[in-house]
């Protein structure tokens, strides 16, 4: 039996990913910890559901019975990625998630050899900025002969979902990191740099993104720096648990995301490319559902993989209204 399990299917991103997977005809099983919400979504979509948490390995193993691919949409991932990745390896299930948290990627690195031995793929960031930025970086890297440095920036527009805000608050990193000569190193947090997302240069601040791991793994370029430019509501204040699930459909439609990249070669030549796409939440759900469908169809490699490395740097452009242009 080949089915895609979506864990956290009743959450903000999980619901959207589930709807896209269902629309694509992917055989799905809904999963999570809340019987009432899962039962309702199951009835709405006509899909099987399973309820299990993380109280013990046996419960997770039972929940994964007959599943080929697991898409984890339940954050904060610092709580869910470890038990679900390890269970996936134990049960021969390919693992994907939508994490934007560095720890999930470090965990996948640590479990890489175990996953390879089990014939299991680990792909944190099957959707989201990792798929966006990985595709953009791969595209730009292909334009030079000997790439040595990548600087890449994400333009985040509109408000955050409740889950994203809580995850971000719980995963605030003390250090701002970059990759230099292949190693993650601490850098100054005040290194503002201008990027042009298509409407003129704007200030972007350095931030620790998981792309410091995934872009390096996919391209082998030794120096990588990641930046963010935020417009819209910014980071919400107060009791984050009182926030709405996430931006409405109208808010997502009015707040597209962009990314910009600079790739410098050994001779000092720099090329620039820009990605434009739908809102990040829409993109994440669509990309994660598509990645799950493709892995279910047999596109996988054991061990820690990235979307751009596995599916190619054109992956983001297969999702919704996404374009990459060279400038």
């Amino acid at each position: 039996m080949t089915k895609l399990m979506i864990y956290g299917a009743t959450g903000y991103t999980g619901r959207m990913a589930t709807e896209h997977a269902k629309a694509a005809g992917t055989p799905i099983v809904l999963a999570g910890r809340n019987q009432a919400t899962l039962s309702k979504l199951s009835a709405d979509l006509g899909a099987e559901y399973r309820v299990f948490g993380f109280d013990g390995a046996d419960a997770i193993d039972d929940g994964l019975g007959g599943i080929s691919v697991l898409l984890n949409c339940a954050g904060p991932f610092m709580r869910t990625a470890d038990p679900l990745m390890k269970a996936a390896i134990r049960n021969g299930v390919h693992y994907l998630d939508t994490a934007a948290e560095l720890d999930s990627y470090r965990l996948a690195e640590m479990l890489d050899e175990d996953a390879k031995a089990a014939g299991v793929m680990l792909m944190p960031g099957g959707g989201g900025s990792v798929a966006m930025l990985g595709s953009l970086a791969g595209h730009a890297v292909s334009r030079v002969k000997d790439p040595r440095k990548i600087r890449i920036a994400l333009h985040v527009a509109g408000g955050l979902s409740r889950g994203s805000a809580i995850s971000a608050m719980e995963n605030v990193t003390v250090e701002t990191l970059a990759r230099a000569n292949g190693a993650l190193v601490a850098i100054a947090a005040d290194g503002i740099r201008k990027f042009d997302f298509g409407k003129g240069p704007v200030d972007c601040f350095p931030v620790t993104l998981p792309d410091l791991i995934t872009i390096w793994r996919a391209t082998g370029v030794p120096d990588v720096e990641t930046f963010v430019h935020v417009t819209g509501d910014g980071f919400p204040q107060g009791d984050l648990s009182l926030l709405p699930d996430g931006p409405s459909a109208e808010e997502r439609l009015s707040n597209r995301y962009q990314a910009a990249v600079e790739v410098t070669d050994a001779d000092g030549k720099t090329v620039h490319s820009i990605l434009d796409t739908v809102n990040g939440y829409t993109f994440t759900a669509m990309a994660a559902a598509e990645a799950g469908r493709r892995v279910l169809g047999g596109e996988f490699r054991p061990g820690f993989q990235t979307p751009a490395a596995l599916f190619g740097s054109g992956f983001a452009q297969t999702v919704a209204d996404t374009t990459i242009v060279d400038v």
Side-chain angles (χ1 to χ4, degrees):
M1 181 168 58
T2 56
K3 291 186 177 181
L4 170 68
M5 173 176 280
I6 302 178
Y7 194 89
T10 61
Y12 181 70
T13 299
R15 284 197 309 273
M16 289 193 291
T18 297
E19 290 165 1
H20 288 301
K22 181 73 173 178
T26 305
I28 57 173
V29 175
L30 316 180
R33 289 164 282 189
N34 189 306
Q35 169 84 32
T37 55
L38 279 169
S39 176
K40 182 180 185 307
L41 184 60
S42 170
D44 291 343
L45 297 179
E48 176 188 351
Y49 75 94
R50 301 178 189 178
V51 181
F52 62 92
F54 308 120
D55 296 332
D58 289 346
I60 304 175
D61 293 347
D62 289 344
L64 291 177
I67 298 300
S68 301
V69 181
L70 169 64
L71 170 59
N72 178 16
C73 296
F77 293 91
M78 64 186 300
R79 301 177 189 170
T80 65
D82 185 281
L84 288 178
M85 275 194 203
K86 290 176 179 175
I89 292 171
R90 287 195 306 272
N91 291 276
V93 176
H94 301 304
Y95 173 94
L96 299 87
D97 70 27
T98 56
E101 305 161 17
L102 194 68
D103 284 350
S104 293
Y105 300 81
R106 284 176 157 160
L107 177 63
E109 284 187 313
M110 184 182 74
L111 296 175
D112 181 46
E113 292 302 322
D114 290 344
K116 286 177 180 175
V120 165
M121 184 176 73
L122 303 176
M123 185 186 282
S129 67
V130 164
M132 286 183 205
L133 300 189
S135 292
L136 178 61
H139 170 88
V141 162
S142 70
R143 297 176 59 199
V144 300
K145 288 184 177 180
D146 186 11
R148 306 302 299 165
K149 185 164 194 149
I150 298 171
R151 290 190 177 101
I152 194 161
L154 178 65
H155 175 204
V156 176
L160 293 179
S161 73
R162 180 173 62 238
S164 294
I166 292 172
S167 289
M169 180 60 70
E170 292 189 2
N171 285 272
V172 173
T173 54
V174 176
E175 293 181 315
T176 302
L177 301 178
R179 191 168 291 275
N181 296 319
L184 286 175
V185 298
I187 61 170
D190 57 355
I192 302 297
R193 188 174 182 85
K194 289 188 180 294
F195 286 83
D196 188 344
F197 297 102
K199 296 182 178 179
V202 294
D203 287 344
C204 300
F205 58 89
V207 65
T208 302
L209 295 180
D211 308 271
L212 294 170
I213 293 175
T214 54
I215 287 176
W216 172 69
R217 288 185 70 90
T219 66
V221 175
D223 293 357
V224 182
E225 297 177 6
T226 52
F227 299 79
V228 168
H229 176 71
V230 179
T231 56
D233 296 337
F235 194 87
Q237 305 296 314
D239 187 348
L240 301 182
S241 68
L242 300 179
L243 291 173
D245 263 5
S248 67
E250 293 75 17
E251 288 169 332
R252 293 197 306 271
L253 282 172
S254 62
N255 287 286
R256 294 176 66 86
Y257 274 32
Q258 291 82 36
V261 68
E262 305 172 354
V263 177
T264 304
D265 68 12
D267 296 325
K269 174 189 173 184
T270 299
V271 298
H272 303 259
S273 299
I274 298 172
L275 176 146
D276 179 81
T277 190
V278 293
N279 183 266
Y281 289 104
T282 303
F283 181 95
T284 295
M286 296 183 74
E290 174 62 8
R293 184 192 70 81
R294 291 175 67 161
V295 175
L296 196 64
E299 292 184 60
F300 66 86
R301 286 195 298 266
F304 177 18
Q305 304 295 335
T306 74
L310 181 68
F311 303 130
S313 58
F315 177 62
Q317 291 165 282
T318 69
V319 178
D321 176 21
T322 303
T323 59
I324 295 176
V325 296
D326 300 326
V327 294

